[in-house]
Amino acid sequence: MTPKFSWTASAAVLAGAALVVAGCSSGGSDHEQTTTPPASTTSFVTPTETTSRVPATPPSTPLTAPAALPAEIGPVDQASVDAVAAAVARIWYGWDTTRDLTQHDAKLRAVPLLEPRLAQLLRDYPPIAGPGADWLDLTARSAVLTVPADGVRPGVEAGAPADTATSAVRLLEVTQKVNTPTGPMPDRHLVVGIALVKVGAEWRVSQVGSR
Amino acid sequence: MKSPLKWAALALALLLIPVLIVAVFVDGDKDNPSFAQGKLATGTVPPEYEAWVIRAGTMCEEISAPLIAAQIEQESNWNPNAVSPAGAQGLSQFMPYTWPSYGVDANGNGVISPFDPPDAIMAQAKFDCTTVEQAKKDLASGRIKGDLIDIVLNAYNCGYGCVLANGGPQIVNGETEGYAPGVKAKMAKYTQIGTGGGRVANCSQFRPGGGFGANVAAAALCWQGTPYAWGGGNIDGPSLGIRDGGVADSHGDYGKVGFDCSGLVVYAVGQASGKTIQLPHYTTSILNDPRGREVALGDIQPGDIVFPGGGDPQHVGIAIGDGKMVEAPQSGDVVKISPLSNLGSGIEIRRFG
């Protein structure tokens, strides 16, 4: 008897409470969202095969960086603003997703042409989250993205600060060629701003920004 | 007699309990007035995740459901089984060594996993909101400076130590500085129309839902006097220019937010369109964007986008009528009104509304 009464009363109280709270929540609100409430039985699948290529441990910082530029870039006239800017653009946006873990690996390859502060930043602070959906898609396709020498062209937009003896900026149009084991994908086009500073007698890149 | 009453009450309760749950979740999806974030637009996220995304947007005032959704798209494009080559896992792409600090059994199924979407979504919100609390303290003490949401997003990408080392979200490693704008740009499609504010709302000439061209002009005119910043400006407003260590820095480009010529156009057209038109940040690309209609000089109206002639423009401005335009001219200058004749003869005109 008692249990039956309690059960009925509880249900009624619960229903009433639901009415009251739902009524309060709609007052003064323009919400019209409807959602499925979270279920405690949500199922999920843990991938049985991981595409991770490294142990699940924090990277040891500072990261190591190569002392020499990639061979495919060839010799770079480091007294030339344009040559240094173009070389960094080619390296920075040259991604081998079959070898690189993230875009960060490509940036580290440019270290010999980077201002010491930027180089240190890249070595000290690798990404702590994933490289993003685009990179995951490229990785699934085993894509290799290269920027050929003629894939870097001067941008045309004016207004940038003028060069000085110790600083310069360059706006570049960059084309990434995308190749996969099943054939090429459409080229990618970027507009990239690059800032450079003179370090001794040579130019070094202090900032790279894709628009 | 008791039995029908019991079953009626029970049925009513069962009917309304989901309403209660949804109402609590939805009502917690706050307006976030100080950050101009809106509510989640229904049907924009996979249905199995919608309630969790809304719930994640209630964890703290500063992190909204559209922000959570945009981050997930950026990280995994809603793939719950995603694993990056470096080992980042699940919808929210947590690294295995970061996950234990934020992982929660959100759905009470006895498992805490980055591959369990509810767990991942709520862990992401926990990370963001934890960062908000720490960043508020560091902003107050002057340890860091900058936009709170940019700090949160950049910390997600680069780590909070990275933010501290740079004194705020002004991180220039070639990736992190693009992360926050990338996520913010994705927020528009997840935001219920009319619920997202924006700084332009403070502009008296701008009329939400008003004439497109008039609003393009008004949005840009609101920022008169704002510094030119090379590379600065996006759909949300002025942003940090690229540092050059020399002339631009001496003009104040470095360390200040502002617009360059195409950045101002990206902002103005984006705002007037309710962020449905996100133009590329480059003059030539704007000129050739298929969403723009060619307009003859005799038909020019306020809000039309104007370029020097020749087909490969070095500059871009916004017509405001009476033979004038609003522009972000060059390093060292500010957003200002100038004669349209400064563009020379044979100007090109595009209309996006």
Side-chain angles (χ1 to χ4, degrees), chain B residues 9 39 98 112 129 138 142 151 187 191 219 227 244-245 267 303-304 311 320 330 343:
Chain B
K39 300 178 179 68
T98 309
I112 303 175
C129 290
D138 290 331
I151 291 170
M187 284 177 66
T191 303
D244 79 334
Y267 168 77
D304 286 344
I320 59 172
Q330 60 189 347
L343 297 176

Side-chain angles (χ1 to χ4, degrees), chain B residues 105-319:
Chain B
D105 184 10
N107 51 353
N109 63 356
V111 179
I112 303 175
S113 169
F115 297 109
D116 192 358
D119 294 0
I121 293 167
M122 297 309 291
Q124 179 189 327
K126 184 178 175 184
F127 181 102
D128 288 351
C129 290
T130 302
T131 306
V132 163
E133 288 311 306
Q134 183 60 47
K136 280 180 174 177
K137 294 173 188 169
D138 290 331
L139 285 167
S141 70
R143 192 179 186 193
I144 55 176
K145 293 178 182 175
D147 179 84
L148 182 61
I149 298 304
D150 286 347
I151 291 170
V152 171
L153 293 174
N154 287 356
Y156 200 92
N157 179 262
C158 187
Y160 198 73
C162 184
V163 172
L164 290 177
N166 286 274
Q170 304 85 5
I171 300 164
V172 287
N173 62 13
E175 177 181 338
T176 301
E177 67 269 29
Y179 184 75
V183 171
K184 286 179 169 178
K186 290 180 172 66
M187 284 177 66
K189 74 180 188 188
Y190 294 111
T191 303
Q192 193 179 106
I193 293 173
T195 64
R199 281 180 257 194
V200 75
N202 298 323
C203 173
S204 60
Q205 301 122 312
F206 190 91
R207 299 175 189 280
F212 183 87
N215 274 343
V216 171
L221 283 166
C222 285
W223 293 97
Q224 286 180 81
T226 302
Y228 178 97
W230 189 62
N234 56 43
I235 200 165
D236 290 313
S239 64
L240 195 69
I242 289 181
R243 175 189 187 187
D244 79 334
V247 174
D249 295 0
S250 68
H251 284 156
D253 282 8
Y254 172 59
K256 286 191 176 181
V257 295
F259 296 98
D260 64 14
C261 61
S262 51
L264 184 65
V265 173
V266 168
Y267 168 77
V269 172
Q271 290 295 325
S273 67
K275 298 188 181 180
T276 60
I277 301 177
Q278 171 118 25
L279 290 174
H281 190 159
Y282 189 46
T283 50
T284 302
S285 302
I286 296 173
L287 176 70
N288 296 320
D289 192 286
R291 292 168 291 186
R293 284 184 291 123
E294 197 169 340
V295 174
L297 182 59
D299 297 327
I300 192 168
Q301 293 178 3
D304 286 344
I305 309 304
V306 288
F307 308 82
D312 207 8
Q314 297 187 12
H315 189 50
V316 61
I318 299 164

Side-chain angles (χ1 to χ4, degrees), chain A residues 3-15:
Chain A
K4 280 186 180 178
F5 177 77
S6 298
W7 179 237
T8 306
S10 299
V13 167
L14 206 52

Side-chain angles (χ1 to χ4, degrees), chain A:
Chain A
M1 193 66 183
T2 301
K4 280 186 180 178
F5 177 77
S6 298
W7 179 237
T8 306
S10 299
V13 167
L14 206 52
L19 276 172
V20 169
V21 176
C24 289
S25 69
S26 62
S29 169
D30 59 355
H31 293 148
E32 293 179 358
Q33 295 171 298
T34 56
T35 62
T36 302
S40 61
T41 55
T42 302
S43 61
F44 68 96
V45 176
T46 300
T48 53
E49 290 185 17
T50 178
T51 52
S52 173
R53 300 189 210 125
V54 293
T57 55
S60 177
T61 55
L63 302 173
T64 56
L69 295 174
E72 62 270 23
I73 298 300
V76 177
D77 177 3
Q78 299 185 26
S80 164
V81 174
D82 294 306
V84 171
V88 168
R90 292 184 62 196
I91 300 167
W92 198 275
Y93 295 103
W95 306 336
D96 182 349
T97 68
T98 66
R99 182 181 53 156
D100 298 335
L101 297 177
T102 74
Q103 304 92 324
H104 201 77
D105 290 350
K107 294 168 192 167
L108 289 171
R109 289 195 284 272
V111 158
L113 292 178
L114 303 182
E115 178 198 25
R117 183 183 176 280
L118 176 57
Q120 197 62 43
L121 183 67
L122 292 173
R123 296 180 62 209
D124 284 346
Y125 295 103
I128 65 160
D134 179 53
W135 183 270
L136 294 176
D137 182 56
L138 290 170
T139 301
R141 300 170 188 272
S142 298
V144 176
L145 286 72
T146 56
V147 181
D150 62 0
V152 179
R153 300 165 303 283
V156 296
E157 192 167 292
D163 291 355
T164 72
T166 57
S167 70
V169 294
R170 291 291 182 271
L171 187 66
L172 302 175
E173 295 183 18
V174 175
T175 299
Q176 291 175 306
K177 299 285 185 185
V178 187
N179 283 294
T180 74
T182 57
M185 293 171 62
D187 291 351
R188 295 178 165 207
H189 301 284
L190 310 167
V191 177
V192 179
I194 293 184
L196 304 98
V197 294
K198 204 76 172 283
V199 177
E202 298 177 331
W203 289 98
R204 292 289 181 268
V205 167
S206 59
Q207 191 174 346
V208 181
S210 172
R211 291 190 176 184

